[in-house]
Amino acid sequence: MLINFSVGNYKSIRTLQELNMTKTPAKEKAATNTFSIEVGESSHSLLTTATIYGANASGKSNLVHAVRTMRDIVVSSSKGQIGDGLPYDPFRLSKSTRNEPTELEAIFISEGVKYQYGFVYDENRILEEWLYAYPRKKAQKWFLRAWDVENQKYAWQFGRFFTGEKQVWVNSTRPNSLFLSTAVQLNSANLRPVFNWFAHTLQIATPNGWNINFSTSECEKSERKSKILDFMKKADASINAIEVSSELFDPSTIPSDMPNELKSMIIDKMKGEEVVELKFMKRDDQNDMIPFEVEEESDGTRRLFSFAGPWLDALDGGRVLVVDELNSNLHPLLVNYLVGFFHSKETNPNDAQLLFTTHETSILSQDVFRRDQVWFAEKDRAGASTIYSLSDFKPRKDRDDLESFYLSGAYGALPVLINERFPAEDSQCGDDFEEAHF
């Protein structure tokens, strides 16, 4: 479970920004939109979902990118070569930050223990790395790593509760790799739950969502296919069945006009492989089942199917799902439908979490979200993004229309539109509007 994520000096995010998944004292929708978990001697009350609104290029997607970047570095840094650079992209609109390091930190629960893990890095080197564990209330320092510029070497600190071949792992950790990743690769039992949280519990959609491959492979399992079919039928009543078949790759199916070199490459790669074919079945007016190719379906139906597998997998596994632009190619009611899975104890018995960005304001309602589940991203005059919570505005419970208030500018995080038909000096509200929102 995710408790907190923070990022600083990354893309449009200049100063350290924080998104908190901890429940506030507010009591609305506590039974459906929140959950409590006992960790050691402490209890944590967390949110099942959080959504981020903001104008295009406001920085909301960059928060998702930061989560993905942290995961990628954790999962892959130990596999790189000494000369490989790190994915470094600082805030470049200020001379004081464009050469400064990026900071990433996550606080989360994995296998019944709370962890606080983070690192600071630039293009070529991990400059700092730290891990604290909370098997009980008090923090245990497991390790600290910091680059000593004066002596051109790392200073290391280890806590007494962190065990294993520490010196071997230190000697094997390259400047551009994480100690966490290296130690796990060398069989650290202590660090495995931390690594697994990033590698398996944290699931992030690509910029275009998911392709249909995972959902298709899930449909090869009868029990999972039944759940995916139910998932689809509730959103699209025209689909009556899903058929998945597989057969060995047939080179004769390659178009004859394809260049020979490319054709040979495909044949070599696919030789002996099985090709999976997916069809949606629909009843005609004679009650006969008619197959439809995936390509014949609408963008919305294809996107919904691509979500079905990862969505149900996340709910079953109690994972943390992160999605950018959830509303893309989906009707507003389908967005509400997808979010609703996380707000039901029946469909979300394992306390999975969803973090997503969207422009879809029809679900910006106290009927759907608690006030602490809604976040905004906005850029200031210098182009730096700020992430802030709706709770900061203290909207009245069950009274304020969140969508109307947001679209009227009460919460900021809206695009500033310049109407070219009217010169700026003739506008009676331009300066006041700009001052109110920046």
Side-chain angles (χ1 to χ4, degrees):
M1 291 82 177
L2 177 65
I3 298 174
N4 186 284
F5 177 77
S6 57
V7 52
N9 199 30
Y10 178 86
K11 295 183 181 288
S12 67
I13 299 172
R14 181 178 182 177
T15 59
L16 198 68
Q17 300 297 309
E18 177 181 313
L19 186 137
N20 198 332
M21 296 291 288
T22 301
K23 170 186 173 293
T24 64
K27 296 180 180 179
E28 72 264 29
K29 299 189 178 302
T32 54
N33 295 27
T34 75
F35 64 94
S36 294
I37 181 170
E38 299 294 326
V39 181
E41 300 170 353
S42 300
S43 177
H44 294 272
S45 295
L46 303 175
L47 303 170
T48 55
T49 67
T51 181
I52 309 171
Y53 286 87
N56 290 325
S58 62
K60 61 185 187 298
S61 292
N62 286 339
L63 184 74
V64 172
H65 295 164
V67 177
R68 182 185 297 113
T69 295
M70 186 175 191
R71 180 185 185 273
D72 288 347
I73 296 176
V74 169
V75 172
S76 63
S77 72
S78 65
K79 303 173 185 177
Q81 302 300 316
I82 292 178
D84 291 346
L86 291 160
Y88 174 63
D89 190 2
F91 183 77
R92 288 181 283 171
L93 296 180
S94 172
K95 186 177 180 180
S96 65
T97 57
R98 66 175 63 111
N99 294 311
E100 289 299 301
T102 293
E103 178 176 343
L104 299 168
E105 183 185 73
I107 302 174
F108 55 92
I109 298 168
S110 180
E111 298 184 22
V113 177
K114 172 184 168 184
Y115 296 98
Q116 179 180 353
Y117 174 69
F119 51 88
V120 175
Y121 70 99
D122 61 17
E123 185 175 4
N124 300 307
R125 183 183 297 278
I126 303 295
L127 298 168
E128 297 178 45
E129 185 181 2
W130 59 91
L131 175 63
Y132 294 88
Y134 296 79
R136 296 182 176 82
K137 285 187 177 181
K138 188 176 179 181
Q140 294 178 0
K141 177 179 67 179
W142 278 18
F143 69 80
L144 298 174
R145 168 194 185 190
W147 177 245
D148 184 338
V149 177
E150 183 177 349
N151 295 307
Q152 290 293 291
K153 65 179 183 179
Y154 285 103
W156 295 85
Q157 295 181 30
F158 292 99
R160 63 188 180 91
F161 294 100
F162 180 62
T163 60
E165 301 293 330
K166 295 186 279 289
Q167 195 56 53
V168 172
W169 301 334
V170 167
N171 294 340
S172 302
T173 302
R174 300 186 313 274
N176 59 355
S177 67
L178 295 171
F179 175 77
L180 167 67
S181 309
T182 304
V184 167
Q185 192 175 47
L186 297 175
N187 301 317
S188 168
N190 279 147
L191 298 181
R192 177 60 66 178
V194 180
F195 182 88
N196 283 348
W197 187 85
F198 286 98
H200 304 299
T201 300
L202 182 61
Q203 298 294 312
I204 306 168
T206 67
N208 296 316
W210 288 276
N211 60 38
I212 67 170
N213 294 344
F214 183 75
S215 293
T216 301
S217 66
E218 290 287 272
C219 286
E220 294 183 273
K221 311 165 190 173
S222 58
E223 181 181 349
R224 183 65 77 180
K225 184 171 80 168
S226 175
K227 290 184 177 181
I228 289 178
L229 177 61
D230 185 58
F231 182 98
M232 295 295 294
K233 288 176 70 173
K234 286 179 178 176
D236 184 351
S238 68
I239 297 175
N240 299 110
I242 296 173
E243 280 195 0
V244 179
S245 59
S246 61
E247 58 183 22
L248 285 176
F249 170 69
D250 182 0
S252 66
T253 60
I254 299 177
S256 59
D257 58 350
M258 181 178 289
N260 289 331
E261 185 177 351
L262 180 56
K263 187 184 297 186
S264 296
M265 289 176 58
I266 294 175
I267 291 174
D268 288 343
K269 183 178 180 180
M270 295 298 296
K271 185 177 181 180
E273 295 289 329
E274 286 194 343
V275 177
V276 178
E277 187 175 25
L278 171 75
K279 294 184 185 297
F280 292 133
M281 309 300 292
K282 303 180 182 182
R283 295 190 185 279
D284 66 5
D285 56 1
Q286 301 299 312
N287 207 34
D288 293 325
M289 285 287 203
I290 308 299
F292 284 79
E293 302 287 345
V294 175
E295 292 74 17
E296 297 180 272
E297 299 296 335
S298 68
D299 288 343
T301 297
R302 292 200 302 268
R303 185 168 171 84
L304 185 65
F305 179 74
S306 74
F307 273 67
W311 223 252
L312 295 173
D313 179 69
L315 292 162
D316 286 348
R319 306 190 200 284
V320 179
L321 206 56
V322 182
V323 184
D324 193 18
E325 302 293 359
L326 178 59
N327 57 288
S328 180
N329 289 331
L330 290 176
H331 189 279
L333 291 179
L334 290 183
V335 176
N336 193 11
Y337 171 69
L338 289 171
V339 173
F341 277 89
F342 286 81
H343 290 169
S344 167
K345 295 300 182 183
E346 181 179 350
T347 53
N348 187 14
N350 298 312
D351 300 324
Q353 292 173 294
L354 171 67
L355 169 63
F356 68 100
T357 72
T358 187
H359 292 294
E360 180 49 62
T361 60
S362 68
I363 63 169
L364 183 51
S365 163
Q366 295 194 55
D367 291 334
V368 179
F369 295 110
R370 290 166 49 89
R371 292 163 289 177
D372 51 9
Q373 292 178 279
V374 179
W375 292 74
F376 301 105
E378 185 173 66
K379 278 186 178 176
D380 62 19
R381 290 177 181 269
S385 300
T386 301
I387 311 296
Y388 55 96
S389 173
L390 173 64
S391 295
D392 296 342
F393 295 88
K394 298 181 172 57
R396 293 171 296 179
K397 177 183 176 183
D398 297 329
R399 295 179 61 187
D400 288 351
D401 184 332
L402 301 185
E403 181 183 20
S404 296
F405 273 54
Y406 171 59
L407 293 177
S408 71
Y411 307 135
L414 286 173
V416 178
L417 304 178
I418 299 175
N419 191 331
E420 295 181 354
R421 292 179 298 173
F422 302 101
E425 58 266 28
D426 292 340
S427 173
Q428 297 181 352
C429 62
D431 291 340
D432 292 339
F433 181 87
E434 194 170 33
E435 289 176 5
H437 291 78
F438 290 90

